[in-house]
Amino acid sequence: MTISNWIYIASILASIISVYISYVLGQKASNREFEQNQKMKRYDSLYAPLMQLLYHQTPDKYAFYNLLVFNQFEPFEKLLVGNVQYMGKESAMMLYRIITTGKSEVIKQNEKNISLLRQGMQLKPMDNKVSEAIDLYRDLLIHLLSESVALSQSLNLEPIGQPLIHVLQEQDQHLNK
């Protein structure tokens, strides 16, 4: 083979290699963009609306109880159930427990309280199951807010869920004293 043949073969190989490298780099860029878009969709569909709801809610130990008793839990439930695919595994499990047992326990407790008040009797302490449901709701909120903070940092957004986490945790510390 002559030198011109080797040069011709080398130029063909260089062209093939450059096309392959361009394809691989384009695929990586496309995958990164797709991943960022999915994260942003997750943030916009679940975490941002959740934080909007929470900024309108008084961070009270009995918020879950009050939301259910005053028929204001539906927006939370609708948002969370409608976007469960964006939650982490642990958050989804917590939500399932709240919806399947926590809500009914709180409603039963409220019915007992109403019955006692109608009879002119003093309210009794909450059942352990109700306290557990209330705590689970707060844990779910803190968990979802923590997920939102981690996601916002990966998207280079301000972690606007962090102040809510601090408020909920400070309240827990205050109540446990």
Side-chain angles (χ1 to χ4, degrees), residues 45-132:
S45 298
L46 174 62
Y47 298 112
L50 175 65
M51 287 182 277
Q52 287 174 338
L53 285 172
L54 292 177
Y55 273 110
H56 287 96
Q57 175 187 331
T58 304
D60 175 290
K61 166 124 174 102
Y62 301 103
F64 180 56
Y65 187 93
N66 292 333
L67 288 171
L68 283 170
V69 168
F70 297 113
N71 296 320
Q72 296 176 353
F73 186 68
E74 186 179 342
F76 284 93
E77 184 175 16
K78 189 175 180 179
L79 172 68
L80 297 178
V81 171
N83 292 290
V84 73
Q85 71 271 21
Y86 298 120
M87 289 182 190
K89 180 182 176 183
E90 191 172 337
S91 297
M93 288 176 20
M94 293 166 118
L95 176 63
Y96 177 78
R97 287 182 27 222
I98 286 170
I99 291 173
T100 57
T101 58
K103 281 176 47 178
S104 62
E105 292 299 328
V106 169
I107 291 168
K108 282 188 232 173
Q109 179 71 48
N110 188 53
E111 289 170 357
K112 285 181 194 175
N113 290 347
I114 290 172
S115 176
L116 289 172
L117 289 173
R118 283 186 180 151
Q119 296 172 18
M121 299 176 73
Q122 191 173 17
L123 295 178
K124 296 180 181 175
M126 284 190 196
D127 291 339
N128 284 339
K129 290 180 180 180
V130 175
S131 293
E132 289 171 10

Side-chain angles (χ1 to χ4, degrees), residues 17 84 126 162 165:
I17 291 171
V84 73
M126 284 190 196
Q162 194 65 50
I165 293 171

Side-chain angles (χ1 to χ4, degrees), residues 128-147:
N128 284 339
K129 290 180 180 180
V130 175
S131 293
E132 289 171 10
I134 289 169
D135 292 342
L136 184 62
Y137 173 76
R138 291 177 57 76
D139 291 345
L140 173 64
L141 292 182
I142 290 171
H143 203 271
L144 287 170
L145 290 168
S146 297
E147 289 175 8

Side-chain angles (χ1 to χ4, degrees), residues 36 39-44 47-48 51 148-162:
Q36 284 296 102
K39 285 180 180 180
M40 197 65 190
K41 184 177 179 182
R42 181 180 177 199
Y43 188 83
D44 288 342
Y47 298 112
M51 287 182 277
S148 81
V149 168
L151 188 58
S152 67
Q153 290 171 342
S154 75
L155 291 167
N156 295 321
L157 300 172
E158 289 292 323
I160 60 174
Q162 194 65 50

